[in-house]
Amino acid sequence: LNEKNTPELERIGLSFVGLLNTEDITAAGHSFGGASVLTTVARYPQRFTSCVALDPAVDWMPDDERQLLLSKDRFQHSHLQYNGGTGGFSQGGAPLHQNEKSSALHNLDLMFLYSHEWVLKKWGASQFVLDTYKRGKLGCLNGASECTYVFNSKHSEFSDSCMKTPLWLARAIGLTGNRNPHETSDEIASRTLVFIESA
């Protein structure tokens, strides 16, 4: 995109040629997209400067990358121990790669922003990621990494589905909580932008 345009963009008169800073790339995703960007960044850390995971489905990450994110050494002096989440880790097969890549993910600035719903239910390994953050074991040392949650929010409020659904209906079926999803979206966007600018 930085070197040549695509036919799809040319048709709508949009071009990114020469406009992108390829030395400063942040990967971002929500839910399974959050698991996907964490997996990608763990596999190719040299291509990114930071990663934003919004309510990431950590249990859906491949074993290797989950172990890199929540390795045993990250839980030294913690009352928690991560044993692979709901699916556990694969037994047998090739050993997981614990080589020079083992800390590469944590050499980047990482932002985990959870919904209040997922923190209360302890989904997305939220209690483990929050614990590593509180003990200074998340992301690069003295970096901009953070882990927090959006008060009174639900998982679905991190996507645009709540904003497309009439508020009275979204609340009636439990798609959104007490907050206006537009307000929640603004908070998620502003907190994400503050992180990206500081990373």
Tab-separated table of all heavy atoms in Angstrom, residues 41-90:
chain	number	residue	atom	x	y	z
A	41	VAL	N	1.912	-10.839	15.895
A	41	VAL	CA	3.003	-10.065	16.492
A	41	VAL	C	4.006	-10.991	17.180
A	41	VAL	O	5.215	-10.750	17.135
A	41	VAL	CB	2.434	-9.005	17.455
A	41	VAL	CG1	3.501	-8.397	18.322
A	41	VAL	CG2	1.723	-7.913	16.662
A	42	ALA	N	3.512	-12.062	17.809
A	42	ALA	CA	4.429	-13.021	18.434
A	42	ALA	C	5.290	-13.722	17.395
A	42	ALA	O	6.459	-14.016	17.637
A	42	ALA	CB	3.640	-14.053	19.243
A	43	ARG	N	4.738	-13.977	16.221
A	43	ARG	CA	5.477	-14.671	15.160
A	43	ARG	C	6.400	-13.748	14.371
A	43	ARG	O	7.433	-14.183	13.873
A	43	ARG	CB	4.499	-15.353	14.204
A	43	ARG	CG	3.783	-16.516	14.847
A	43	ARG	CD	2.864	-17.221	13.888
A	43	ARG	NE	2.194	-18.332	14.565
A	43	ARG	CZ	1.326	-19.140	13.986
A	43	ARG	NH1	1.040	-18.982	12.709
A	43	ARG	NH2	0.765	-20.112	14.666
A	44	TYR	N	6.006	-12.490	14.241
A	44	TYR	CA	6.788	-11.537	13.443
A	44	TYR	C	7.020	-10.239	14.214
A	44	TYR	O	6.642	-9.155	13.755
A	44	TYR	CB	6.069	-11.233	12.125
A	44	TYR	CG	5.702	-12.470	11.346
A	44	TYR	CD1	4.401	-12.957	11.363
A	44	TYR	CD2	6.665	-13.164	10.608
A	44	TYR	CE1	4.051	-14.102	10.670
A	44	TYR	CE2	6.321	-14.313	9.906
A	44	TYR	CZ	5.026	-14.774	9.936
A	44	TYR	OH	4.691	-15.913	9.247
A	45	PRO	N	7.633	-10.300	15.390
A	45	PRO	CA	7.768	-9.096	16.226
A	45	PRO	C	8.592	-7.988	15.579
A	45	PRO	O	8.382	-6.814	15.870
A	45	PRO	CB	8.442	-9.621	17.494
A	45	PRO	CG	9.144	-10.858	17.062
A	45	PRO	CD	8.290	-11.461	15.993
A	46	GLN	N	9.501	-8.340	14.692
A	46	GLN	CA	10.358	-7.349	14.059
A	46	GLN	C	9.582	-6.426	13.117
A	46	GLN	O	10.074	-5.361	12.747
A	46	GLN	CB	11.516	-8.034	13.308
A	46	GLN	CG	11.114	-8.798	12.067
A	46	GLN	CD	10.502	-10.182	12.339
A	46	GLN	OE1	10.314	-10.596	13.479
A	46	GLN	NE2	10.181	-10.901	11.271
A	47	ARG	N	8.361	-6.796	12.756
A	47	ARG	CA	7.574	-5.974	11.824
A	47	ARG	C	6.692	-4.944	12.526
A	47	ARG	O	6.055	-4.129	11.868
A	47	ARG	CB	6.698	-6.872	10.957
A	47	ARG	CG	7.511	-7.794	10.085
A	47	ARG	CD	6.641	-8.590	9.176
A	47	ARG	NE	7.461	-9.519	8.401
A	47	ARG	CZ	6.989	-10.395	7.562
A	47	ARG	NH1	5.684	-10.476	7.371
A	47	ARG	NH2	7.784	-11.198	6.912
A	48	PHE	N	6.622	-5.021	13.850
A	48	PHE	CA	5.686	-4.164	14.589
A	48	PHE	C	6.401	-3.412	15.709
A	48	PHE	O	7.427	-3.852	16.209
A	48	PHE	CB	4.563	-5.017	15.197
A	48	PHE	CG	3.766	-5.768	14.171
A	48	PHE	CD1	4.104	-7.073	13.825
A	48	PHE	CD2	2.694	-5.165	13.534
A	48	PHE	CE1	3.385	-7.765	12.864
A	48	PHE	CE2	1.966	-5.855	12.571
A	48	PHE	CZ	2.313	-7.153	12.237
A	49	THR	N	5.808	-2.283	16.097
A	49	THR	CA	6.315	-1.545	17.250
A	49	THR	C	5.387	-1.698	18.459
A	49	THR	O	5.821	-1.517	19.587
A	49	THR	CB	6.462	-0.051	16.923
A	49	THR	OG1	5.235	0.427	16.371
A	49	THR	CG2	7.594	0.178	15.940
A	50	SER	N	4.118	-2.020	18.200
A	50	SER	CA	3.180	-2.178	19.304
A	50	SER	C	1.976	-3.005	18.856
A	50	SER	O	1.792	-3.270	17.670
A	50	SER	CB	2.717	-0.816	19.831
A	50	SER	OG	2.107	-0.062	18.812
A	51	CYS	N	1.158	-3.389	19.849
A	51	CYS	CA	-0.016	-4.221	19.575
A	51	CYS	C	-1.148	-3.811	20.504
A	51	CYS	O	-0.931	-3.605	21.701
A	51	CYS	CB	0.343	-5.690	19.783
A	51	CYS	SG	-1.028	-6.824	19.457
A	52	VAL	N	-2.352	-3.709	19.954
A	52	VAL	CA	-3.554	-3.387	20.720
A	52	VAL	C	-4.489	-4.586	20.651
A	52	VAL	O	-4.920	-4.977	19.565
A	52	VAL	CB	-4.263	-2.130	20.166
A	52	VAL	CG1	-5.577	-1.892	20.897
A	52	VAL	CG2	-3.359	-0.915	20.250
A	53	ALA	N	-4.800	-5.174	21.794
A	53	ALA	CA	-5.708	-6.321	21.872
A	53	ALA	C	-6.941	-5.904	22.665
A	53	ALA	O	-6.847	-5.645	23.866
A	53	ALA	CB	-5.010	-7.506	22.527
A	54	LEU	N	-8.077	-5.823	21.993
A	54	LEU	CA	-9.331	-5.405	22.614
A	54	LEU	C	-10.167	-6.643	22.907
A	54	LEU	O	-10.605	-7.330	21.989
A	54	LEU	CB	-10.087	-4.457	21.678
A	54	LEU	CG	-9.309	-3.224	21.194
A	54	LEU	CD1	-10.086	-2.504	20.094
A	54	LEU	CD2	-9.005	-2.293	22.346
A	55	ASP	N	-10.357	-6.935	24.194
A	55	ASP	CA	-11.085	-8.141	24.603
A	55	ASP	C	-10.606	-9.358	23.800
A	55	ASP	O	-11.402	-10.051	23.152
A	55	ASP	CB	-12.592	-7.952	24.419
A	55	ASP	CG	-13.348	-7.830	25.735
A	55	ASP	OD1	-12.713	-7.861	26.804
A	55	ASP	OD2	-14.584	-7.701	25.692
A	56	PRO	N	-9.306	-9.643	23.814
A	56	PRO	CA	-8.782	-10.722	22.959
A	56	PRO	C	-9.199	-12.102	23.445
A	56	PRO	O	-9.175	-12.385	24.641
A	56	PRO	CB	-7.261	-10.547	23.069
A	56	PRO	CG	-7.066	-9.974	24.435
A	56	PRO	CD	-8.241	-9.052	24.649
A	57	ALA	N	-9.557	-12.967	22.509
A	57	ALA	CA	-9.912	-14.357	22.822
A	57	ALA	C	-8.613	-15.159	22.949
A	57	ALA	O	-8.277	-15.963	22.080
A	57	ALA	CB	-10.822	-14.923	21.744
A	58	VAL	N	-7.886	-14.935	24.027
A	58	VAL	CA	-6.560	-15.520	24.225
A	58	VAL	C	-6.598	-17.046	24.139
A	58	VAL	O	-5.674	-17.672	23.608
A	58	VAL	CB	-5.945	-15.039	25.560
A	58	VAL	CG1	-4.680	-15.799	25.911
A	58	VAL	CG2	-5.663	-13.537	25.487
A	59	ASP	N	-7.671	-17.658	24.621
A	59	ASP	CA	-7.780	-19.126	24.572
A	59	ASP	C	-7.760	-19.666	23.151
A	59	ASP	O	-7.502	-20.847	22.938
A	59	ASP	CB	-9.060	-19.600	25.262
A	59	ASP	CG	-8.954	-19.550	26.772
A	59	ASP	OD1	-7.841	-19.403	27.294
A	59	ASP	OD2	-10.000	-19.656	27.433
A	60	TRP	N	-8.047	-18.830	22.172
A	60	TRP	CA	-8.076	-19.281	20.780
A	60	TRP	C	-6.732	-19.096	20.083
A	60	TRP	O	-6.599	-19.434	18.917
A	60	TRP	CB	-9.167	-18.543	20.013
A	60	TRP	CG	-10.552	-18.876	20.468
A	60	TRP	CD1	-10.922	-19.785	21.424
A	60	TRP	CD2	-11.767	-18.303	20.000
A	60	TRP	NE1	-12.275	-19.815	21.582
A	60	TRP	CE2	-12.834	-18.900	20.715
A	60	TRP	CE3	-12.069	-17.339	19.056
A	60	TRP	CZ2	-14.161	-18.575	20.509
A	60	TRP	CZ3	-13.402	-17.005	18.844
A	60	TRP	CH2	-14.437	-17.628	19.563
A	61	MET	N	-5.752	-18.560	20.788
A	61	MET	CA	-4.415	-18.432	20.204
A	61	MET	C	-3.765	-19.809	20.147
A	61	MET	O	-4.044	-20.670	20.989
A	61	MET	CB	-3.544	-17.504	21.065
A	61	MET	CG	-3.970	-16.056	21.052
A	61	MET	SD	-3.083	-15.063	22.281
A	61	MET	CE	-1.398	-15.150	21.659
A	62	PRO	N	-2.869	-20.050	19.180
A	62	PRO	CA	-2.127	-21.313	19.170
A	62	PRO	C	-1.305	-21.474	20.448
A	62	PRO	O	-0.925	-20.485	21.080
A	62	PRO	CB	-1.208	-21.164	17.942
A	62	PRO	CG	-1.850	-20.121	17.100
A	62	PRO	CD	-2.546	-19.187	18.040
A	63	ASP	N	-1.044	-22.717	20.816
A	63	ASP	CA	-0.314	-23.009	22.053
A	63	ASP	C	0.989	-22.228	22.168
A	63	ASP	O	1.279	-21.644	23.212
A	63	ASP	CB	0.006	-24.508	22.152
A	63	ASP	CG	-1.196	-25.336	22.575
A	63	ASP	OD1	-2.263	-24.759	22.837
A	63	ASP	OD2	-1.053	-26.565	22.636
A	64	ASP	N	1.804	-22.248	21.113
A	64	ASP	CA	3.110	-21.594	21.169
A	64	ASP	C	2.991	-20.131	21.561
A	64	ASP	O	3.703	-19.646	22.441
A	64	ASP	CB	3.829	-21.682	19.820
A	64	ASP	CG	4.462	-23.039	19.582
A	64	ASP	OD1	4.103	-23.995	20.282
A	64	ASP	OD2	5.317	-23.123	18.690
A	65	GLU	N	2.103	-19.420	20.902
A	65	GLU	CA	1.989	-17.988	21.136
A	65	GLU	C	1.365	-17.682	22.493
A	65	GLU	O	1.723	-16.705	23.140
A	65	GLU	CB	1.209	-17.323	20.003
A	65	GLU	CG	2.011	-17.188	18.719
A	65	GLU	CD	2.318	-18.510	18.019
A	65	GLU	OE1	1.555	-19.489	18.206
A	65	GLU	OE2	3.315	-18.564	17.275
A	66	ARG	N	0.443	-18.533	22.939
A	66	ARG	CA	-0.111	-18.349	24.296
A	66	ARG	C	0.978	-18.540	25.339
A	66	ARG	O	1.029	-17.827	26.337
A	66	ARG	CB	-1.257	-19.343	24.551
A	66	ARG	CG	-2.602	-18.688	24.466
A	66	ARG	CD	-3.746	-19.621	24.767
A	66	ARG	NE	-3.664	-20.840	23.997
A	66	ARG	CZ	-3.687	-22.059	24.536
A	66	ARG	NH1	-3.799	-22.222	25.827
A	66	ARG	NH2	-3.596	-23.118	23.770
A	67	GLN	N	1.844	-19.519	25.102
A	67	GLN	CA	2.938	-19.740	26.052
A	67	GLN	C	3.939	-18.594	26.030
A	67	GLN	O	4.542	-18.292	27.052
A	67	GLN	CB	3.633	-21.070	25.783
A	67	GLN	CG	2.859	-22.236	26.361
A	67	GLN	CD	3.654	-23.519	26.379
A	67	GLN	OE1	4.465	-23.765	25.488
A	67	GLN	NE2	3.426	-24.331	27.376
A	68	LEU	N	4.123	-17.958	24.874
A	68	LEU	CA	5.014	-16.799	24.825
A	68	LEU	C	4.408	-15.622	25.581
A	68	LEU	O	5.101	-14.898	26.289
A	68	LEU	CB	5.286	-16.396	23.373
A	68	LEU	CG	6.036	-17.397	22.511
A	68	LEU	CD1	6.152	-16.885	21.084
A	68	LEU	CD2	7.408	-17.688	23.086
A	69	LEU	N	3.110	-15.432	25.424
A	69	LEU	CA	2.427	-14.330	26.091
A	69	LEU	C	2.388	-14.533	27.599
A	69	LEU	O	2.660	-13.612	28.368
A	69	LEU	CB	1.001	-14.184	25.538
A	69	LEU	CG	0.110	-13.154	26.226
A	69	LEU	CD1	0.659	-11.748	26.037
A	69	LEU	CD2	-1.315	-13.251	25.688
A	70	LEU	N	2.048	-15.746	28.026
A	70	LEU	CA	1.831	-16.024	29.452
A	70	LEU	C	2.771	-17.131	29.925
A	70	LEU	O	2.348	-18.110	30.533
A	70	LEU	CB	0.365	-16.403	29.682
A	70	LEU	CG	-0.639	-15.302	29.331
A	70	LEU	CD1	-2.058	-15.836	29.292
A	70	LEU	CD2	-0.523	-14.142	30.297
A	71	SER	N	4.054	-16.955	29.662
A	71	SER	CA	5.049	-17.967	30.023
A	71	SER	C	5.197	-18.074	31.540
A	71	SER	O	4.876	-17.136	32.275
A	71	SER	CB	6.395	-17.638	29.386
A	71	SER	OG	6.828	-16.359	29.811
A	72	LYS	N	5.690	-19.212	31.999
A	72	LYS	CA	5.824	-19.471	33.438
A	72	LYS	C	6.661	-18.419	34.141
A	72	LYS	O	6.367	-18.027	35.266
A	72	LYS	CB	6.414	-20.859	33.668
A	72	LYS	CG	5.441	-21.969	33.392
A	72	LYS	CD	6.007	-23.317	33.777
A	72	LYS	CE	4.960	-24.380	33.507
A	72	LYS	NZ	5.383	-25.700	33.933
A	73	ASP	N	7.724	-17.939	33.476
A	73	ASP	CA	8.577	-16.945	34.127
A	73	ASP	C	7.848	-15.634	34.392
A	73	ASP	O	8.241	-14.867	35.260
A	73	ASP	CB	9.853	-16.694	33.309
A	73	ASP	CG	9.564	-16.107	31.950
A	73	ASP	OD1	8.661	-16.600	31.256
A	73	ASP	OD2	10.267	-15.140	31.566
A	74	ARG	N	6.758	-15.374	33.690
A	74	ARG	CA	5.972	-14.155	33.928
A	74	ARG	C	5.175	-14.253	35.227
A	74	ARG	O	4.656	-13.248	35.709
A	74	ARG	CB	5.007	-13.913	32.770
A	74	ARG	CG	5.708	-13.785	31.447
A	74	ARG	CD	5.782	-12.390	30.947
A	74	ARG	NE	6.816	-12.337	29.921
A	74	ARG	CZ	7.675	-11.361	29.779
A	74	ARG	NH1	7.621	-10.322	30.568
A	74	ARG	NH2	8.593	-11.391	28.841
A	75	PHE	N	5.067	-15.459	35.795
A	75	PHE	CA	4.260	-15.643	37.005
A	75	PHE	C	5.092	-15.969	38.239
A	75	PHE	O	4.551	-16.404	39.250
A	75	PHE	CB	3.180	-16.706	36.759
A	75	PHE	CG	2.151	-16.240	35.771
A	75	PHE	CD1	2.243	-16.590	34.431
A	75	PHE	CD2	1.137	-15.387	36.157
A	75	PHE	CE1	1.331	-16.127	33.506
A	75	PHE	CE2	0.217	-14.919	35.245
A	75	PHE	CZ	0.308	-15.287	33.913
A	76	GLN	N	6.397	-15.746	38.140
A	76	GLN	CA	7.219	-15.884	39.339
A	76	GLN	C	6.759	-14.825	40.339
A	76	GLN	O	6.488	-13.692	39.976
A	76	GLN	CB	8.694	-15.692	39.015
A	76	GLN	CG	9.294	-16.839	38.246
A	76	GLN	CD	10.749	-16.587	37.898
A	76	GLN	OE1	11.287	-15.515	38.118
A	76	GLN	NE2	11.387	-17.593	37.323
A	77	HIS	N	6.632	-15.217	41.578
A	77	HIS	CA	6.185	-14.336	42.667
A	77	HIS	C	4.732	-13.895	42.501
A	77	HIS	O	4.345	-12.833	42.966
A	77	HIS	CB	7.094	-13.106	42.805
A	77	HIS	CG	8.548	-13.435	42.834
A	77	HIS	ND1	9.116	-14.165	43.854
A	77	HIS	CD2	9.542	-13.162	41.958
A	77	HIS	CE1	10.404	-14.318	43.616
A	77	HIS	NE2	10.686	-13.729	42.465
A	78	SER	N	3.934	-14.704	41.809
A	78	SER	CA	2.508	-14.424	41.654
A	78	SER	C	1.717	-15.548	42.306
A	78	SER	O	2.164	-16.687	42.370
A	78	SER	CB	2.142	-14.341	40.168
A	78	SER	OG	0.728	-14.258	40.024
A	79	HIS	N	0.530	-15.217	42.776
A	79	HIS	CA	-0.350	-16.252	43.326
A	79	HIS	C	-1.066	-17.016	42.204
A	79	HIS	O	-1.709	-18.026	42.448
A	79	HIS	CB	-1.362	-15.631	44.290
A	79	HIS	CG	-2.358	-14.731	43.621
A	79	HIS	ND1	-2.036	-13.460	43.182
A	79	HIS	CD2	-3.653	-14.920	43.293
A	79	HIS	CE1	-3.101	-12.910	42.626
A	79	HIS	NE2	-4.094	-13.772	42.677
A	80	LEU	N	-0.937	-16.537	40.973
A	80	LEU	CA	-1.568	-17.190	39.828
A	80	LEU	C	-0.567	-18.041	39.053
A	80	LEU	O	0.614	-17.730	39.012
A	80	LEU	CB	-2.145	-16.138	38.864
A	80	LEU	CG	-3.285	-15.269	39.388
A	80	LEU	CD1	-3.663	-14.228	38.349
A	80	LEU	CD2	-4.494	-16.106	39.748
A	81	GLN	N	-1.067	-19.077	38.416
A	81	GLN	CA	-0.278	-19.903	37.498
A	81	GLN	C	-1.125	-20.162	36.274
A	81	GLN	O	-2.266	-20.616	36.389
A	81	GLN	CB	0.119	-21.236	38.154
A	81	GLN	CG	1.152	-21.091	39.252
A	81	GLN	CD	2.458	-20.486	38.747
A	81	GLN	OE1	2.982	-20.892	37.717
A	81	GLN	NE2	2.969	-19.499	39.466
A	82	TYR	N	-0.576	-19.878	35.100
A	82	TYR	CA	-1.321	-20.074	33.867
A	82	TYR	C	-0.971	-21.441	33.294
A	82	TYR	O	0.186	-21.732	33.038
A	82	TYR	CB	-0.989	-18.975	32.853
A	82	TYR	CG	-1.792	-19.079	31.585
A	82	TYR	CD1	-3.135	-18.735	31.564
A	82	TYR	CD2	-1.205	-19.539	30.412
A	82	TYR	CE1	-3.879	-18.831	30.405
A	82	TYR	CE2	-1.953	-19.636	29.245
A	82	TYR	CZ	-3.287	-19.288	29.253
A	82	TYR	OH	-4.024	-19.398	28.098
A	83	ASN	N	-1.986	-22.282	33.086
A	83	ASN	CA	-1.770	-23.640	32.588
A	83	ASN	C	-2.424	-23.889	31.236
A	83	ASN	O	-2.803	-25.012	30.928
A	83	ASN	CB	-2.271	-24.655	33.620
A	83	ASN	CG	-1.483	-24.580	34.904
A	83	ASN	OD1	-0.259	-24.541	34.868
A	83	ASN	ND2	-2.171	-24.521	36.031
A	84	GLY	N	-2.597	-22.836	30.460
A	84	GLY	CA	-3.117	-23.019	29.111
A	84	GLY	C	-4.560	-22.614	28.905
A	84	GLY	O	-5.087	-22.751	27.809
A	85	GLY	N	-5.222	-22.133	29.930
A	85	GLY	CA	-6.603	-21.690	29.765
A	85	GLY	C	-7.579	-22.842	29.648
A	85	GLY	O	-7.300	-23.968	30.066
A	86	THR	N	-8.728	-22.595	29.032
A	86	THR	CA	-9.794	-23.590	28.994
A	86	THR	C	-9.410	-24.841	28.227
A	86	THR	O	-9.855	-25.927	28.545
A	86	THR	CB	-11.073	-22.997	28.361
A	86	THR	OG1	-10.745	-22.441	27.085
A	86	THR	CG2	-11.666	-21.916	29.233
A	87	GLY	N	-8.582	-24.708	27.207
A	87	GLY	CA	-8.175	-25.873	26.419
A	87	GLY	C	-6.875	-26.504	26.873
A	87	GLY	O	-6.489	-27.556	26.377
A	88	GLY	N	-6.199	-25.871	27.823
A	88	GLY	CA	-4.899	-26.367	28.249
A	88	GLY	C	-3.885	-26.273	27.118
A	88	GLY	O	-4.135	-25.629	26.101
A	89	PHE	N	-2.743	-26.880	27.313
A	89	PHE	CA	-1.727	-26.930	26.267
A	89	PHE	C	-1.686	-28.326	25.683
A	89	PHE	O	-1.986	-29.311	26.351
A	89	PHE	CB	-0.348	-26.566	26.828
A	89	PHE	CG	-0.204	-25.111	27.175
A	89	PHE	CD1	0.131	-24.724	28.455
A	89	PHE	CD2	-0.395	-24.128	26.223
A	89	PHE	CE1	0.273	-23.396	28.777
A	89	PHE	CE2	-0.255	-22.793	26.529
A	89	PHE	CZ	0.081	-22.424	27.818
A	90	SER	N	-1.282	-28.423	24.429
A	90	SER	CA	-1.170	-29.697	23.738
A	90	SER	C	-0.205	-30.619	24.472
A	90	SER	O	0.861	-30.202	24.913
A	90	SER	CB	-0.676	-29.456	22.309
A	90	SER	OG	-0.399	-30.673	21.680
